[in-house]
Structure formats: structure tokens, C-alpha cells
Amino acid sequence: GQHSGKFSQLCQLVSATMVKLGACYNVFDGEELLWKSIESVRPVVSHVVVVYQTISNFGNEAHELLQPTLRDLHERGLIDDLIHYKVKQFSDKEKVDMTSKDANPAEFGGSPTLIAEQFFNEMNKREIGRQACLSAGCTHFMCMDTDEFYIREELQSALDYCVENNIHSSACKMRFYFKEPIYEMLPYDELNWVPL
């Protein structure tokens, strides 16, 4: 009776203390926003990975300040793992293997072999980041872009809710700002969500 209830509460407490959230940033540009984005999540996130590329999916070179900025953030302890990614070409077999068997071809225009390379490079970078977080002992993971910011209390509340309710994936609505963080685009976007 009452002891099993206390044991259950203790198990929940131990489980909650074992939670380790990792975040992976996918970076080619937007490095001027990165440090503020990391600062917005760092109180809740235990491990930050940046997977970056210096040549875009379309052959363009990154800004000359990308690598010095990333090195500086790494040296300051805002970034735990810094992983350089080189764009690759995927074989048809790799594309098929990387696509969920449950995916509906009508939703992405046909066979996975017809999907553009940049989609698979972006997916691959996020998977590399997820694996790096897993290797660092993270129990939970979120993929991010440099222009994503969270309110600490709301992110902590979302993480707690996911843990308490054994939720395996989640998403949140986006709010858009124009040029500066004081000019919000209205009405709110009710269609687009980002993975959380």
C-alpha cells in the first residue's frame, strides 16, 4: 500500500535525475545567432553538439567567421562536441536504406531515389549529432538550428512532461520574428512545427 506508493515516487525521482538532454545544432550559416541560441537551452541541456559544414549542400563556401566562431564557443564551453561534416553523394541503395519503410512515397513525390541529395545530407548530419549525444550518455535528444531559441522554464517543463509521460518524440510550434526579436510576425503560424 503506502510503501509501494513511496517506492514509485522514489523511482520517478531517480529516473528524473538520470535524464540527460543533448542538443545537436546543424550549422552552415547563422553562426552569429548560435551563442544566444545555446545560452537559451544550456541550463536544461547537458551536452551540446555542433555538426557543421564549410561547403554547403550546393557547393557554396561558408562565411570566413564560421570556424573561428565555432572554435571560440567550443573553447568557452558552450559547445561540447564540434564535428566537421563533408557533403556526400548518396547511392540509390543508401537513400532507400535511410528512408523509413513506413514513409508514404506520395508525401515526398515518389521513390526515395528521387529525393534531392541535400535532404539526405541534412538528415545524416542530424543523425551524426544524435549519435554523438548518445555516446555522451544523453537519454534525450533535440535537433536544433541556430535561429531557434527557447524559454528555459518552458523547455524544462516540456522535458519533464515527456519524461513523466514516457513520450518518445515531440514538436513545438514556431513563432517568427523579422530582423529583430521585437518584430513578431502575426498571425501566428499554425502549420509549421519543429522537432523538440
Side-chain angles (χ1 to χ4, degrees):
Q2 88 186 54
H3 292 295
S4 65
K6 288 183 179 181
F7 180 73
S8 176
Q9 288 176 335
L10 179 62
C11 287
Q12 287 177 343
L13 179 63
V14 169
S15 176
T17 59
M18 293 173 30
V19 170
K20 185 175 179 182
L21 177 61
C24 172
Y25 285 87
N26 178 12
V27 178
F28 167 70
D29 57 10
E31 65 274 6
E32 70 279 5
L33 302 172
L34 182 59
W35 70 278
K36 275 301 203 187
S37 179
I38 294 173
E39 281 187 346
S40 81
V41 300
R42 200 51 154 150
V44 180
V45 169
S46 301
H47 195 79
V48 174
V49 176
V50 171
V51 180
Y52 72 98
Q53 57 194 83
T54 54
I55 303 294
S56 78
N57 295 324
F58 304 100
N60 300 318
E61 290 187 22
H63 190 278
E64 63 187 21
L65 292 178
L66 173 65
Q67 289 182 296
T69 299
L70 295 177
R71 278 192 301 272
D72 175 61
L73 295 175
H74 187 251
E75 288 167 7
R76 290 177 26 211
L78 287 171
I79 297 171
D80 297 300
D81 291 332
L82 198 51
I83 302 169
H84 184 235
Y85 180 82
K86 292 186 178 178
V87 175
K88 65 174 278 186
Q89 297 291 315
F90 295 87
S91 70
D92 286 349
K93 181 182 180 332
E94 287 174 311
K95 288 181 177 184
V96 170
D97 289 346
M98 290 175 72
T99 305
S100 170
K101 304 300 180 227
D102 297 326
N104 180 352
E107 291 179 359
F108 50 82
S111 166
T113 61
L114 301 175
I115 298 173
E117 295 293 326
Q118 66 266 22
F119 173 82
F120 290 99
N121 276 298
E122 295 301 304
M123 188 168 63
N124 199 34
K125 284 173 30 181
R126 293 180 193 279
E127 177 60 14
I128 289 168
R130 188 187 72 80
Q131 291 292 333
C133 286
L134 188 62
S135 293
C138 295
T139 58
H140 294 73
F141 167 78
M142 58 191 288
C143 56
M144 295 188 62
D145 293 317
T146 62
D147 62 350
E148 295 175 18
F149 302 86
Y150 290 90
I151 297 168
R152 185 194 65 77
E153 296 81 8
E154 291 178 1
L155 180 59
Q156 184 66 60
S157 178
L159 177 61
D160 293 343
Y161 184 83
C162 288
V163 170
E164 290 165 11
N165 293 283
N166 200 27
I167 295 173
H168 297 280
S169 63
S170 65
C172 69
K173 290 183 180 179
M174 295 186 284
R175 293 178 69 175
F176 292 96
Y177 293 84
F178 182 72
K179 297 208 181 230
E180 294 184 33
I182 57 174
Y183 303 116
E184 186 168 7
M185 304 287 279
L186 297 174
Y188 294 135
D189 180 350
E190 299 294 335
L191 299 175
N192 294 299
W193 296 65
V194 292
L196 175 63

